């Protein structure tokens, strides 16, 4: 299969898993459950759960073991988008071409929907019946996801982003912010998929971490470029919002050409990291290429 076919297969699988695991939409409290479904099932590339599946497949994990961490990282990602869009945060009206959760429902419901999705992520990891190969790493999986989501990961990165808005920061500070805000959850996706295959050797963990660090930053650099070059319909969110909100971006610091060169450099770092692994990592390489060359 081509990378596009793999992506479509996994996107469909993730959508089915989310539909099955979310609380029933007609169960009380009805509005909260409707908001959770709305936030989690409104499309998206599903890059993070796909990285769980692709990494686990490369290292020989059982697919049934991968479903739980794939769901968990997507629940965390969906919750983060709901909260990022709130008026107190990025104050966005559109997400994936549709009204954001607080616009569709209301601000209080959106906050609670995000809280509930966040909690369900850890419920998934804690309650799943893993195989004998993956079960010894179950507590480590919970720890990896918690660290990626908290103040030293995604939550802290968002705090730095808010503090830095309308201020000028340098490139190292920008990279540190995005390693936390975007990269931490991407790295956890890769590590969760790997942990389903068994304990990780130091060399394997380092190579996978280097790969994930590179594609995590590449994802953000590409987002920054698309915010300038694409349009609202393609992006599914307001084009030019970073500029309007005076956000720190790679094009603002490096220019467009410098940002494109940075993107290519990060792709090469990702591929070099994969080359150190004694597995068939072609799908992970294809995913890195997709992240760099995507249109939305």
């Amino acid at each position: 299969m081509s990378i596009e076919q793999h992506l479509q297969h996994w996107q469909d699988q993730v959508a089915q898993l989310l539909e099955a695991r979310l609380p029933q939409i007609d169960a009380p409290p009805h509005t909260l459950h409707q908001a959770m479904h709305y936030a989690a099932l409104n499309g998206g590339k599903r890059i993070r759960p796909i990285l769980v599946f692709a990494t686990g497949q490369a290292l020989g994990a059982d697919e049934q073991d991968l479903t739980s961490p794939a769901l968990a990282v997507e629940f965390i990602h969906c919750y983060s988008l709901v909260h990022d869009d709130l008026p107190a945060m990025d104050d966005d009206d559109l997400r994936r071409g549709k009204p954001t959760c607080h616009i569709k429902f209301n601000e209080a419901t959106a906050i609670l929907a995000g809280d509930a999705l966040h909690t369900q992520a850890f419920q998934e990891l804690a309650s799943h019946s893993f195989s004998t190969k993956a079960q010894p790493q179950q507590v480590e999986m919970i720890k990896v996801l918690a660290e990626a989501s908290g103040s030293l990961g995604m939550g802290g990165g968002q705090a730095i982003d808010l503090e830095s808005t309308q201020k000028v920061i340098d490139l190292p500070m920008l990279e540190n912010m995005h390693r936390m805000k975007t990269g931490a959850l991407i790295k956890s996706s890769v590590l969760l998929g790997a942990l389903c295959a068994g304990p990780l050797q130091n060399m394997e963990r380092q190579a996978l971490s280097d790969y994930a660090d590179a594609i995590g930053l590449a994802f953000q650099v590409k987002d920054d470029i698309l915010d300038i070059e694409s349009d609202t319909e393609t992006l599914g969110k307001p084009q030019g919002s970073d500029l309007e909100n005076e956000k720190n971006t790679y094009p603002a610091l490096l220019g467009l050409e410098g940002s494109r060169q940075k993107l290519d450099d990060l792709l090469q770092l990702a591929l070099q990291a994969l080359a150190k692994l004694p597995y068939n990592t072609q799908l992970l390489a294809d995913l890195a290429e997709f992240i760099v060359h995507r249109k939305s």
Side-chain angles (χ1 to χ4, degrees):
M1 288 196 292
S2 67
I3 186 59
E4 290 78 17
Q5 290 171 318
H6 277 290
L7 288 170
Q8 188 62 60
H9 167 72
W10 279 323
Q11 285 165 355
D12 292 344
Q13 186 174 0
V14 171
Q16 291 169 11
L17 288 168
L18 288 168
E19 185 80 60
R21 294 299 297 150
L22 283 164
Q24 292 296 311
I25 202 166
D26 56 355
H30 302 100
T31 303
L32 174 59
H33 291 155
Q34 289 167 12
M36 291 171 69
H37 277 252
Y38 183 81
L41 294 169
N42 66 343
K45 292 177 282 294
R46 312 294 189 193
I47 289 295
R48 291 151 191 84
I50 285 172
L51 281 167
V52 174
F53 283 117
T55 306
Q57 181 176 314
L59 272 65
D62 296 337
E63 183 161 335
Q64 189 57 39
D65 285 331
L66 298 170
T67 60
S68 173
L71 275 171
V73 294
E74 190 63 6
F75 280 137
I76 292 289
H77 180 55
C78 292
Y79 120 74
S80 74
L81 298 182
V82 172
H83 281 194
D84 283 359
D85 290 337
L86 289 168
M89 304 279 269
D90 291 344
D91 195 16
D92 281 326
D93 294 339
L94 278 181
R95 171 67 65 181
R96 296 169 180 167
K98 300 176 183 178
T100 48
C101 194
H102 68 276
I103 297 293
K104 176 70 174 179
F105 296 89
N106 57 63
E107 191 172 344
T109 298
I111 292 170
L112 290 172
D115 290 345
L117 289 167
H118 177 275
T119 305
Q120 188 156 353
F122 295 99
Q123 180 183 351
E124 283 296 329
L125 281 179
S127 60
H128 187 73
S129 296
F130 286 98
S131 71
T132 55
K133 180 164 50 176
Q135 192 277 328
Q137 290 78 244
Q138 188 169 10
V139 172
E140 185 177 359
M141 291 183 206
I142 295 171
K143 180 173 180 285
V144 164
L145 187 58
E147 288 179 348
S149 307
S151 65
L152 299 179
M154 185 178 65
Q158 178 67 11
I160 294 171
D161 192 10
L162 292 171
E163 291 168 1
S164 303
T165 299
Q166 298 180 331
K167 300 177 183 177
V168 177
I169 62 175
D170 60 18
L171 186 60
M173 290 180 65
L174 183 68
E175 293 202 349
N176 181 57
M177 178 179 77
H178 287 308
R179 285 189 190 280
M180 295 168 70
K181 182 181 176 183
T182 303
L185 194 59
I186 285 177
K187 182 188 286 189
S188 76
S189 303
V190 170
L191 293 178
L192 288 170
L195 287 167
C196 285
L200 279 173
Q201 302 298 316
N202 289 338
M203 180 277 292
E204 294 174 334
R205 182 183 288 270
Q206 187 61 59
L208 289 168
S209 295
D210 290 346
Y211 165 78
D213 282 342
I215 64 170
L217 276 184
F219 195 96
Q220 187 61 52
V221 176
K222 185 66 174 183
D223 265 3
D224 288 353
I225 292 172
L226 288 172
D227 187 69
I228 295 172
E229 294 187 332
S230 192
D231 55 74
T232 297
E233 183 178 356
T234 302
L235 291 175
K237 58 183 180 181
Q239 183 270 340
S241 60
D242 289 341
L243 183 63
E244 181 180 341
N245 294 326
E246 298 182 64
K247 294 279 189 179
N248 286 281
T249 66
Y250 284 92
L253 287 179
L254 302 177
L256 272 175
E257 284 308 313
S259 298
R260 292 190 189 101
Q261 183 59 55
K262 178 72 173 178
L263 198 57
D264 186 63
D265 292 344
L266 288 167
L267 175 59
Q268 296 311 311
L269 286 174
L271 298 179
Q272 289 166 18
L274 291 179
K276 299 175 183 177
L277 293 166
Y279 306 105
N280 180 356
T281 56
Q282 185 59 52
L283 271 177
L284 291 173
D286 290 344
L287 280 170
E289 295 271 3
F290 170 80
I291 287 169
V292 166
H293 298 299
R294 64 196 166 93
K295 304 298 184 185
S296 66

